[in-house]
C-alpha cells in the first residue's frame, strides 16, 4: 500500500482563512488575530512565488528493498518479517519535506510483494526512488516506465551515491547528498534534467518521528495500522562525522 497525505499548510488555507475572516464579528482580538494571519499568508505566498516554488504537485516516494517479486512462499514470509523492516529514514524525510511544501505525497516501500509500479498511483509529477545496488535493475526498469508517462524521475540512496553516472542513463536527476533545501529546489524545477545534484552541505536536521509517523505506519506496521512483533522503527543517533578528510571512505 501507499499513503496519501497533504499536510494542511498555510499556503493552501488562504481561502479558508479569508472565509472565516469575512464572517468574523468586527472588532475584538479575534478580528486582529485573523487580520494578522491573513497578512502573513499573503506575504508567504508572495515569497514562494518569488522563489519559484510550486505547490500542489503529485509526488511519489518509494524505497526498493528487493530486486523483484518473492518467488516462493518462504521468501514471501521472510521478506515480510525481515526485509520489510529495513526501510530507511531518508525516503521518509523526503516525503515529509515535500508535504511541508504543500504537495500531495504518496509513500511506499517495495519488499517483494506484487507489482512495484502499482505501489504508487498514476499521474505523478515526480517520483523519488531510494535504491540499493542489488536492486538497481528494477529501479532502472521502473524509471523507464515513469519517464514514458512524463514523470520526472529522481534517484537517491546508496546506489546513486556510488554509481551516479550509471544512474544518469535512466533517471532525470541523481542525488548524491540530500537535505530539505535540495528537495525544495528539485520540486521547484531549479535543475536541468540529466544532472547529478547534491546539497553540498552536511545534513543537520531531519523530520521528527511524529512527522514521519504516516510513513512509519506504511513501512513498518501491519497493514499500516498497528505494530506487530517484527516491527522496527528507524532512528538516528548521529548524522555522521563533521569532517571531510580526503583519506576517509565516508
Amino acid at each position: 500500500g501507499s499513503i496519501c497525505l497533504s499536510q494542511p499548510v498555510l499556503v493552501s488555507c488562504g481561502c479558508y482563512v479569508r472565509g472565516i475572516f469575512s464572517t468574523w464579528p468586527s472588532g475584538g482580538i479575534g478580528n486582529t488575530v485573523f487580520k494578522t494571519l491573513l497578512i502573513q499568508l499573503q506575504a508567504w505566498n508572495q515569497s514562494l512565488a518569488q522563489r519559484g516554488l510550486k505547490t500542489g504537485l503529485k509526488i511519489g516516494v518509494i524505497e526498493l528493498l528487493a530486486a523483484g517479486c518473492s518467488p516462493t512462499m518462504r521468501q514471501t514470509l521472510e521478506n515480510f518479517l525481515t526485509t520489510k523492516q529495513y526501510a530507511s529514514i531518508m525516503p521518509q524525510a523526503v516525503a515529509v519535506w515535500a508535504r511541508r511544501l504543500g504537495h500531495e505525497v504518496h509513500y511506499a516501500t517495495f519488499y517483494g510483494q506484487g507489482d512495484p509500479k502499482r505501489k504508487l498511483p498514476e499521474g505523478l509529477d515526480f517520483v523519488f526512488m531510494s535504491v540499493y545496488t542489488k536492486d538497481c535493475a528494477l529501479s532502472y526498469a521502473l524509471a523507464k516506465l515513469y519517464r514514458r508517462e512524463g514523470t520526472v524521475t529522481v534517484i537517491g540512496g546508496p546506489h546513486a551515491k556510488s554509481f551516479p553516472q550509471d544512474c544518469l542513463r535512466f533517471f532525470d536527476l541523481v542525488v548524491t547528498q540530500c537535505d530539505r533545501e535540495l528537495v525544495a529546489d528539485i520540486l521547484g524545477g531549479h535543475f536541468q534534467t540529466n544532472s547529478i545534484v547534491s546539497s553540498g552541505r552536511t545534513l543537520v536536521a531531519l523530520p521528527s518521528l511524529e512527522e514521519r509517523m504516516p510513513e512509519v505506519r506504511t513501512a513498518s506496521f501491519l497493514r499500516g495500522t498497528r505494530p506487530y512483533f517484527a516491527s522496527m522503527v528507524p532512528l538516528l543517533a548521529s548524522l555522521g562525522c563533521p569532517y571531510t578528510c580526503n583519506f576517509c571512505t565516508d
Side-chain angles (χ1 to χ4, degrees):
S2 64
I3 59 169
C4 170
L5 283 175
S6 295
Q7 184 182 19
V9 294
L10 291 179
V11 70
S12 63
C13 296
C15 294
Y16 178 67
V17 172
R18 288 189 185 94
I20 295 177
F21 178 62
S22 64
T23 59
W24 196 268
S26 59
I29 189 172
N31 200 349
T32 303
V33 169
F34 277 104
K35 182 178 292 186
T36 302
L37 180 57
L38 186 57
I39 293 173
Q40 291 176 343
L41 282 168
Q42 293 171 340
W44 194 27
N45 280 330
Q46 184 177 3
S47 174
L48 289 175
Q50 290 173 349
R51 292 173 58 191
L53 296 179
K54 301 176 182 178
T55 59
L57 297 175
K58 193 173 183 180
I59 311 298
V61 180
I62 185 168
E63 182 172 14
L64 301 183
L65 302 172
C69 295
S70 305
T72 64
M73 185 60 69
R74 178 179 178 180
Q75 186 64 48
T76 299
L77 181 61
E78 180 181 340
N79 285 342
F80 181 76
L81 295 178
T82 58
T83 307
K84 173 182 172 69
Q85 302 303 327
Y86 292 151
S88 53
I89 291 180
M90 188 55 75
Q92 298 176 3
V94 170
V96 172
W97 289 331
R99 195 158 63 237
R100 285 179 184 175
L101 294 170
H103 301 301
E104 177 186 335
V105 180
H106 301 262
Y107 168 86
T109 60
F110 175 74
Y111 50 91
Q113 79 291 18
D115 182 355
K117 181 70 165 56
R118 295 184 179 180
K119 301 304 171 186
L120 295 174
E122 300 292 332
L124 296 175
D125 296 300
F126 285 81
V127 61
F128 292 79
M129 294 189 206
S130 179
V131 183
Y132 294 96
T133 298
K134 68 181 182 65
D135 309 321
C136 68
L138 175 60
S139 72
Y140 293 168
L142 288 173
K144 292 186 70 173
L145 294 176
Y146 279 115
R147 293 177 79 173
R148 288 177 184 173
E149 299 172 358
T151 301
V152 178
T153 55
V154 185
I155 186 173
H159 183 63
K161 189 173 181 65
S162 300
F163 304 100
Q165 292 292 342
D166 191 62
C167 293
L168 275 182
R169 296 188 300 141
F170 301 94
F171 284 85
D172 296 308
L173 294 173
V174 179
V175 178
T176 58
Q177 193 172 358
C178 186
D179 62 8
R180 180 176 60 86
E181 289 76 13
L182 183 71
V183 171
D185 288 340
I186 290 174
L187 297 179
H190 294 174
F191 297 108
Q192 296 291 332
T193 57
N194 199 39
S195 299
I196 299 173
V197 300
S198 172
S199 65
R201 299 176 292 268
T202 301
L203 183 64
V204 296
L206 285 167
S208 66
L209 179 58
E210 181 180 9
E211 284 188 286
R212 291 190 292 112
M213 272 308 298
E215 286 71 35
V216 170
R217 290 180 183 276
T218 297
S220 304
F221 286 10
L222 182 63
R223 296 180 179 177
T225 57
R226 62 183 185 275
Y228 59 106
F229 69 93
S231 294
M232 293 186 292
V233 178
L235 299 172
L236 282 180
S238 170
L239 291 177
C241 179
Y243 304 104
T244 56
C245 305
N246 58 10
F247 56 80
C248 181
T249 58
D250 292 331

